[in-house]
Amino acid sequence: MKRNFICAGILLLTAFTAFSQTPCDNIDADYNCFSIIAGNKATKDGSVLFGHNEDDGDFMISMNVGENGIWAEMPGMSVSDGFINRYGVCIASDGCQSKEDRDDFNEGGIVYELRFRVWQEATSARDAIRIIAREMEKYGYRASGRTYAVADPHEGWMVNVVKGHHWVAQRVPDNMVASVPNYYTIGEIDLSDTENFAGSPDIINYAIERGWYNPQTDGAFNFRKAYAKPSVLVSDHNVPRHTLVMEKLGTKYDINNVPFAVKPRKKLSVADMRMLLSLHREARADGSHPSGVCAFDTNLSTIFQLRANMPLAVGCVMWNAQGKPCAEVHVPWYLGMTEAPQGYQRMATVEEAVQNHFSDGNQEIGGKTLRERYPDAKYWIYADRWQDLLSDYSNRIGGRQAVIEPLQKALFRNQKKFEKQLLKMTPEEAARAMNEYTARCVTD
């Protein structure tokens, strides 16, 4: 049955072909997401933890649950969706502008299709790298640049892609934490070390050809310095956010020597990842929402908890907060779930969502907005609360946090007990229990 879904999904990718010829949305926005990956020796429970804040403003979120896993969909968007598939492989991304100004694509190039194919096909994070390499070589990337963060229960990788056919990937060391705002973080590379690196074979020679790297004067090749758009490396929306995370992890930020990953002062839990995703800069004088890792346009915060010592259905959890992590509860969505709570999945099936992702996106159709077409979607509850908080953030956030923090602590506290029960059940019984549990959590 799952094999049939994969075959059907590959055929459904033809629905994206027309979109591949159009401009990408939100590519060059200042706040264009934030990702953090902690290796399995840097976490308290031995999981790989992958935290991601999606920064898209007021865009609907549809939580699609099917045979191939869970898909956090933003209808109509090409650079925003997050996935976990049936093998526990996760992918999300962060906008990263490059120096590249040449259009070198085949068949219009790819953007959205890259993450979708990883979701459909990848059996591990390392396999995701193979798929990204294949697609980059065949089609070329259509946008300026991007970092794809991919992880499974054993390891995490950061993949820096550049407009056209160039890319590099680096494995996050098991005992370290890697974080990415909206600039490249891969520095020196060693493509002969296939355990920890991958990339385009001509990545250095092309940089030399373009005048971005001079071996005689620049020292060791540094991908970040050679390929990144210089202004994003010093921008006010990147440096302060990255500084916040690195200082919490116990490392001083050095703008001239930004490390790919750091060893944290202590091992991280899911609660710690939530804290990192909720970090803000100093309060604003006008009382509005301060920028930070939790940004003014964050609309989905996700923590993938990926444990290799448990069955995938139970061991892989997608903790989702629809809205800002400072103002919403991260609710567990287990990989073994078979259906989304009522009102969270826009279309009846995942296949239907694939077919309508762009044609029924965040635009007016037939004189009706997305909200008018789907008035019963639960997302609008979060969107309305978000707007209410933003209207007087400094005076309202304290009361909101007094409500959500006890709920959040209870969910974390109850996790071990609930999972102990799940492990005693048949797969069918466990799936029903997961469905019911998440449904209760999102309505509490």
Side-chain angles (χ1 to χ4, degrees):
M1 190 69 174
K2 291 180 179 178
R3 184 183 300 274
N4 290 339
F5 170 77
I6 298 300
C7 294
I10 292 172
L11 293 175
L12 287 171
L13 279 169
T14 57
F16 301 149
T17 302
F19 182 82
S20 294
Q21 309 302 322
T22 64
C24 303
D25 47 84
N26 208 30
I27 293 291
D28 296 329
D30 283 347
Y31 289 87
N32 204 332
C33 311
F34 200 105
S35 293
I36 308 169
I37 294 180
N40 56 20
K41 292 182 180 177
T43 63
K44 291 181 179 179
D45 63 357
S47 65
V48 172
L49 288 179
F50 172 10
H52 179 78
N53 278 355
E54 187 60 40
D55 299 340
D56 285 311
D58 193 11
F59 280 87
M60 181 184 185
I61 301 162
S62 178
M63 295 299 300
N64 302 308
V65 177
E67 295 175 356
N68 197 45
I70 305 173
W71 166 20
E73 178 197 12
M74 273 142 240
M77 297 288 282
S78 64
V79 295
S80 305
D81 296 359
F83 299 91
I84 179 170
N85 74 8
R86 68 198 194 283
Y87 295 105
V89 180
C90 310
I91 184 167
S93 72
D94 305 271
C96 298
Q97 296 181 57
S98 73
K99 293 176 181 174
E100 184 59 85
D101 56 5
R102 295 177 179 175
D103 291 342
D104 182 15
F105 319 131
N106 299 321
E107 301 178 35
I110 61 170
V111 173
Y112 184 78
E113 304 89 336
L114 195 60
R115 73 187 66 211
F116 194 88
R117 286 170 180 158
V118 166
W119 183 55
Q120 285 196 307
E121 300 178 40
T123 58
S124 67
R126 197 170 291 262
D127 191 41
I129 307 303
R130 175 191 63 81
I131 293 166
I132 291 172
R134 181 194 71 197
E135 300 300 302
M136 287 292 293
E137 180 178 353
K138 183 176 181 180
Y139 296 103
Y141 202 65
R142 191 171 64 253
S144 176
R146 187 153 287 271
T147 291
Y148 287 92
V150 295
D152 66 21
H154 300 281
E155 61 183 357
W157 288 72
M158 297 294 186
V159 189
N160 294 173
V161 303
V162 181
K163 187 178 185 181
H165 297 274
H166 292 97
W167 64 279
V168 292
Q170 185 170 353
R171 182 179 184 273
V172 179
D174 292 338
N175 65 341
M176 302 184 85
V177 180
S179 52
V180 178
N182 300 129
Y183 54 41
Y184 297 135
T185 56
I186 296 177
E188 294 185 16
I189 61 174
D190 180 3
L191 296 186
S192 66
D193 178 6
T194 57
E195 182 65 22
N196 297 296
F197 293 94
S200 306
D202 67 337
I203 197 74
I204 297 177
N205 289 338
Y206 183 75
I208 294 173
E209 174 198 326
R210 294 302 306 275
W212 300 338
Y213 171 60
N214 185 328
Q216 280 71 47
T217 60
D218 295 339
F221 175 76
N222 184 297
F223 172 82
R224 165 186 164 87
K225 293 179 180 178
Y227 278 84
K229 184 178 179 179
S231 61
V232 303
L233 299 182
V234 296
S235 74
D236 189 49
H237 68 270
N238 280 326
V239 173
R241 291 190 297 155
H242 208 180
T243 300
L244 285 171
V245 170
M246 293 182 67
E247 288 182 346
K248 283 293 184 181
L249 294 174
T251 302
K252 292 273 188 184
Y253 183 95
D254 180 356
I255 197 169
N256 297 310
N257 185 27
V258 176
F260 171 72
V262 300
K263 188 173 181 179
R265 63 159 62 99
K266 66 170 187 175
K267 294 188 175 185
L268 304 184
S269 65
V270 176
D272 293 323
M273 188 64 78
R274 172 177 162 81
M275 175 272 295
L276 294 174
L277 294 175
S278 302
L279 289 172
H280 296 134
R281 297 167 68 179
E282 65 277 0
R284 295 174 184 256
D286 63 3
S288 62
H289 182 277
S291 61
V293 181
C294 177
F296 61 87
D297 56 358
T298 298
N299 63 329
L300 177 68
S301 182
T302 299
I303 303 166
F304 297 101
Q305 182 185 19
L306 310 171
R307 293 164 291 178
N309 62 346
M310 303 174 74
L312 290 175
V314 180
C316 294
V317 188
M318 185 178 186
W319 296 82
N320 286 315
Q322 293 204 3
K324 300 192 190 317
C326 66
E328 299 293 347
V329 175
H330 278 86
V331 171
W333 293 62
Y334 282 85
L335 185 56
M337 292 172 62
T338 55
E339 62 183 32
Q342 185 175 2
Y344 283 83
Q345 185 163 312
R346 176 170 118 270
M347 298 289 179
T349 66
V350 174
E351 291 86 347
E352 188 179 358
V354 173
Q355 290 175 323
N356 291 281
H357 178 71
F358 293 116
S359 62
D360 184 42
N362 255 29
Q363 72 268 10
E364 188 172 298
I365 298 175
K368 292 185 177 182
T369 64
L370 197 61
R371 184 165 190 158
E372 290 169 332
R373 297 197 301 278
Y374 301 98
D376 297 329
K378 297 295 186 183
Y379 170 73
W380 309 123
I381 296 173
Y382 299 97
D384 289 345
R385 180 158 56 220
W386 174 15
Q387 292 302 321
D388 180 65
L389 285 169
L390 286 180
S391 67
D392 190 11
Y393 181 84
S394 62
N395 288 322
R396 297 183 180 180
I397 189 60
R400 176 61 186 163
Q401 289 178 341
V403 172
I404 66 171
E405 289 310 316
L407 296 175
Q408 189 67 75
K409 290 178 181 178
L411 284 177
F412 290 151
R413 189 170 56 246
N414 191 55
Q415 182 182 13
K416 187 174 182 179
K417 178 181 178 181
F418 178 59
E419 290 174 353
K420 187 176 181 179
Q421 295 170 347
L422 291 176
L423 293 172
K424 296 178 181 179
M425 299 178 183
T426 67
E428 293 77 15
E429 291 171 338
R432 286 195 296 271
M434 294 173 191
N435 295 341
E436 293 168 0
Y437 186 69
T438 296
R440 289 199 304 273
C441 292
V442 296
T443 55
D444 284 344

